[in-house]
């Protein structure tokens, strides 16, 4: 039997996520233990901020987080479908089906559904990659913004090719409107120079990328293997003064050598010590510190630079080439690095009026990038708006009748559960979910597999019309497979065990005086 108590929390979370699906998903107020209140309609953020210790919910959270990290979109659909499968499993268990029989039926239903998804796929050439981006761009309902941003996402993905995840990054900043979102050919750093007196712009200059702190070298310090250690003790003021002059002179030489090599910008993963900041500024160098390692790699790729440990290793060969411009956005400096020296690296710089909107819009644009990249990589799409799920549900209902034994009931339940996604989209769009589901089934009976839910228009329609609603085939297949695997894993839980309680009883060694038990 399915243990309802153990997976009860999971069903509750799934029900909450279901009402947040689609562009009109309801916002949730998350109140954390420290009093922080967050309003969000993002399934990913909702699951990420849940503070629970229920092991089954933790399993759901981990699966959803892993899916989002790997595919970038579709997390809400995974959780919604998993919840629907669990509800159907409860009813099957009440009718006497064992979890093993339920799993077999679900696996049979999944195979039929995946085949249906493949058969309903269209070539990407029948639509535009921007249509895929616009479908995933649920963070705004403004048609002009959706059109503009989706076009920029498609352009960025087309330029990046198969390496879109590495070469495209989304950055958001509060202040301004979403319509101000623009595609930057380069890298955008969410910080400015370490000193206000440093230059705000350097055109076509050498860019040094460092992995360690920029500071004056200490006497006796060296890189690589240390074959001999020398200790220097400065006991007098004169000795300390001489040591400081030596260190300062060494740094000045390193700085001069870097400038002579063409260095105009120093960007480091660590800090730039206060005592050398003014020297960098006096030399005309723009210094930017505490840049994330991933951003440093993107900068190296864009500028054709080599990341080196310290300023001493900077040469003309390790320097990248590019232009640096520092602009103040919403009261904070942001640095734009553009270059034609290396690979084409793009940044989508998003704007939004408040932090909640900015975060939601950024996640939406990231999902649009991931979905568009997947569609371009595979070259196929399926009708969106729950149309693919409705077609798969119809096919499973037709073919489940031919399955043997009680698995037929489970496969039929699997097909019915697939309608949870179009039902949720219809409900959040303000439609009658039951009536919408009937309309989708009637369309399938008439051979129209592209009829789905257009949430923005508030109707059921052919989603391959003037403004196509489409999703990548690979994403849809992975949503169905992941949701099924997760539901089956939860269905097969029959008992909760605390691992710390399993080894309490110590095994006793037989004593020398103990009688020999003899042969068995």
């Amino acid at each position: 039997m399915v243990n309802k108590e153990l997976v009860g929390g999971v069903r509750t979370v799934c029900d909450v996520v279901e009402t947040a699906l689609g562009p009109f998903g309801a916002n949730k107020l998350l109140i954390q233990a420290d009093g922080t209140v967050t309003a969000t309609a993002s399934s990913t953020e909702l699951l990420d901020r849940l503070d629970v210790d229920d092991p089954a919910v933790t399993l759901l959270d981990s699966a959803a987080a892993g899916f989002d990290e790997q595919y970038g979109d579709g997390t809400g659909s995974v959780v919604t479908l998993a919840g629907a499968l669990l509800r159907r499993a409860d009813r099957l268990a009440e009718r006497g089906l064992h979890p093993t029989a339920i799993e077999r039926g679900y696996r049979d239903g999944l195979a039929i559904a995946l085949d249906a998804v493949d058969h309903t796929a269209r070539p990407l050439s029948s639509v535009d990659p921007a249509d895929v981006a616009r479908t995933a761009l649920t963070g705004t309902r403004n048609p002009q913004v959706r059109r503009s941003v989706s076009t920029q996402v498609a352009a960025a993905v087309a330029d990046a090719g198969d390496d879109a995840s590495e070469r495209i990054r989304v950055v958001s900043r509060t202040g301004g409107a979403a319509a101000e979102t623009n595609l930057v050919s380069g890298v955008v750093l969410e910080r400015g120079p370490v000193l206000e007196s440093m230059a705000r712009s350097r055109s076509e200059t050498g860019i040094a990328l460092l992995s360690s702190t920029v500071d004056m070298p200490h006497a006796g310090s060296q890189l690589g293997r240390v074959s001999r250690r020398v200790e220097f003790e400065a006991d007098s003021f004169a000795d300390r003064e001489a040591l400081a002059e030596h260190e300062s002179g060494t740094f000045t030489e390193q700085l001069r050598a870097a400038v002579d090599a063409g260095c105009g910008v120093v960007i480091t993963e660590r800090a730039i010590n206060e005592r050398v900041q003014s020297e960098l500024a006096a030399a005309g160098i723009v210094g930017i510190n505490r840049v994330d390692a991933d951003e440093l790699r993107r900068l190296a790729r864009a500028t054709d630079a080599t990341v080196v440990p310290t300023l001493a290793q900077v040469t003309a060969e390790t320097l990248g080439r590019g232009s640096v411009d520092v602009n103040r956005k919403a009261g904070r400096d942001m640095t734009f690095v553009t270059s034609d020296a290396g690979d084409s690296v793009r940044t989508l710089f998003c704007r939004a009026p408040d932090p909640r909107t900015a975060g939601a819009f950024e996640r939406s644009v990231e999902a649009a990038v991931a979905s568009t990249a997947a569609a371009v990589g595979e070259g196929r799409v399926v009708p969106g708006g729950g149309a693919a799920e409705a077609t798969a549900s119809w096919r499973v209902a037709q073919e489940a009748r031919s399955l043997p034994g009680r698995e037929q009931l489970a496969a039929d339940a699997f097909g019915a559960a697939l309608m949870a996604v179009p039902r949720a989209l219809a409900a959040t769009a303000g439609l009658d979910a039951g009536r919408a589901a009937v309309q989708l089934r009637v369309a399938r009976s008439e051979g129209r597999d592209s009829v789905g839910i257009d949430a923005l228009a508030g109707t059921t329609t052919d989603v391959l019309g003037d403004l196509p609603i489409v999703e990548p085939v690979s994403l849809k297949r992975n949503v169905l497979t992941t949701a099924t695997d997760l539901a089956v894993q939860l269905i097969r839980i029959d008992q909760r065990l605390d691992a710390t309680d399993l080894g309490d009883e110590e095994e006793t060694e037989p004593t020398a005086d103990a009688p020999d038990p003899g042969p068995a």
Side-chain angles (χ1 to χ4, degrees), residues 214-218 221 244 247-249 251 254 273 275-276 279:
V214 181
D215 196 3
M216 292 183 184
H218 299 293
S221 63
E247 293 176 345
S248 178
F251 179 79
Q254 294 176 358
N273 198 297
R275 61 181 179 173
V276 302
E279 291 196 44

Side-chain angles (χ1 to χ4, degrees), residues 9-10 12-13 30-33 46-62 496:
V10 172
T12 300
V13 173
L30 295 175
I31 305 173
Q32 296 175 269
L46 176 64
L47 292 167
D48 185 54
R49 291 182 179 271
L50 283 178
D51 186 14
V52 294
D53 55 8
D54 185 293
V57 176
T58 302
L59 185 66
L60 170 70
D61 187 21
S62 299
R496 170 176 172 169

Side-chain angles (χ1 to χ4, degrees), residues 297-310:
R297 285 193 291 271
R298 295 183 77 241
L299 283 167
R301 187 166 189 171
T303 63
D304 196 30
T306 300
V307 179
V308 295
T310 68

Side-chain angles (χ1 to χ4, degrees), residues 239-259:
D239 287 343
R240 289 193 295 272
E241 187 71 16
L243 179 61
E245 290 180 2
H246 170 76
E247 293 176 345
S248 178
T250 302
F251 179 79
T252 301
E253 292 177 6
Q254 294 176 358
L255 181 58
R256 185 182 299 114
V259 172

Side-chain angles (χ1 to χ4, degrees), residues 456-469:
L456 293 174
T459 184
T460 57
T461 185
D462 184 344
V463 294
L464 298 182
D466 295 335
L467 291 175
I469 301 173

